Amino acid sequence: MRYIVNLYAHMHNEKLSLYNNLFIDVPMACGILDAENLRIEQANDEILEIWGRDKSAVGYGLLDVMPELIGQHYPELIQQVLTTKVVHKQKAGKAVLMRNGKSETIFVDFCYKPILGQNDKAIALLITATDVTDRENDRLFRAESIRTLKAVITTAPVAMCYFQGEHHKVNTVNTHMLELWKKYEYMGVRELNYVFHTGLPYTHTVQGVIYSYTPVRDGLGGTMGIVLVANF
């Protein structure tokens, strides 16, 4: 009996040593779940921050400390990785978590990697993650801004156009601006470059037409395009 107990203790210590070595080599948010019951075996500060938990979560089942995951696809995905032993990577995975006492929607780039033991059996799951919520919110903000801007341009009673990016690709243009370009063949490339790189609006008059260039900013304050309005 004592031999069995000592053997179990040795195997447990060996597993912990393996986990610690994995943590040393992973320079990002990471955690380890036991394959049998999804108990949190290890979790560094970075992944606990993403989860909205503290060190007291270690040693408990994932769904016990994060019951809001029930009904989301992550528990099923974890079981799939443990069963198939195939690594799963995902960009901008959306999750709803309870953090700081309130429900929050976050986006995470993550990887689920099975840890294999004897007989090539999955004994645990290594989770690595990067919180990309700010990046995704900025992308969604830009997408919604562009949709709104397109609606404004296409229905505007004046000549309008939206140039996207530093190469000034025409994203949206209304019929009034197209008619003006046919008449004057003027787009103001020099002015577009100035407004894009300085982030400052600019207005000037060419052949009796007043051109107004206004920078469009992304969620981080950078210039992502320019709206051109022409009055004549």
Side-chain angles (χ1 to χ4, degrees):
M1 181 67 178
R2 179 177 298 176
Y3 170 78
I4 296 175
V5 172
N6 290 338
L7 179 62
Y8 174 80
H10 174 75
M11 292 174 60
H12 182 69
N13 290 335
E14 187 177 9
K15 185 167 70 171
L16 289 178
S17 177
L18 172 64
Y19 291 171
N20 287 331
N21 289 337
L22 285 170
F23 263 55
I24 291 173
D25 295 333
V26 179
M28 62 178 64
C30 59
I32 294 178
L33 305 181
D34 180 76
E36 185 176 352
N37 49 25
L38 303 188
R39 183 178 65 252
I40 302 171
E41 297 265 311
Q42 294 266 17
N44 64 10
D45 293 338
E46 289 79 6
I47 202 162
L48 288 171
E49 182 178 356
I50 291 175
W51 290 346
R53 268 60 181 180
D54 57 31
K55 284 290 187 182
S56 65
V58 177
Y60 291 91
L62 180 69
L63 298 183
D64 292 329
V65 298
M66 302 176 67
E68 65 270 27
L69 288 178
I70 298 174
Q72 300 185 52
H73 75 288
Y74 295 102
E76 181 180 351
L77 181 58
I78 289 172
Q79 293 294 351
Q80 177 183 321
V81 171
L82 292 172
T83 300
T84 63
K85 293 175 288 188
V86 176
V87 175
H88 178 86
K89 297 180 179 180
Q90 186 171 332
K91 294 286 189 180
K94 181 180 178 181
V96 180
L97 301 179
M98 289 298 299
R99 306 201 303 181
N100 300 316
K102 62 180 181 179
S103 178
E104 293 186 24
T105 298
I106 67 169
F107 296 90
V108 180
D109 291 348
F110 68 92
C111 175
Y112 289 162
K113 177 180 175 61
I115 300 173
L116 305 181
Q118 294 181 347
N119 302 320
D120 202 34
K121 180 181 179 182
I123 60 174
L125 182 82
L126 173 65
I127 302 173
T128 56
T130 302
D131 190 333
V132 294
T133 303
D134 288 344
R135 183 193 75 192
E136 286 303 300
N137 284 340
D138 176 57
R139 182 184 66 80
L140 293 172
F141 170 82
R142 285 185 284 127
E144 181 60 30
S145 297
I146 294 302
R147 282 194 293 269
T148 301
L149 187 58
K150 284 183 176 181
V152 170
I153 290 174
T154 54
T155 59
V158 297
M160 290 186 69
C161 176
Y162 173 58
F163 297 93
Q164 187 172 15
E166 64 177 324
H167 298 297
H168 317 310
K169 179 181 178 181
V170 176
N171 180 283
T172 307
V173 59
N174 64 13
T175 55
H176 303 297
M177 184 64 80
L178 290 173
E179 291 173 0
L180 183 64
W181 284 343
K182 289 178 181 178
K183 184 177 181 180
Y184 293 109
E185 297 183 355
Y186 177 81
M187 295 180 68
V189 175
R190 185 177 64 180
E191 289 75 17
L192 288 169
N193 286 329
Y194 170 81
V195 173
F196 187 88
H197 292 292
T198 66
L200 299 174
Y202 183 81
T203 299
H204 69 154
T205 302
V206 178
Q207 295 178 300
V209 180
I210 302 173
Y211 293 93
S212 298
Y213 303 81
T214 303
V216 177
R217 305 186 188 282
D218 57 29
L220 301 178
T223 302
M224 63 181 188
I226 298 168
V227 171
L228 174 62
V229 179
N231 288 286
F232 55 97

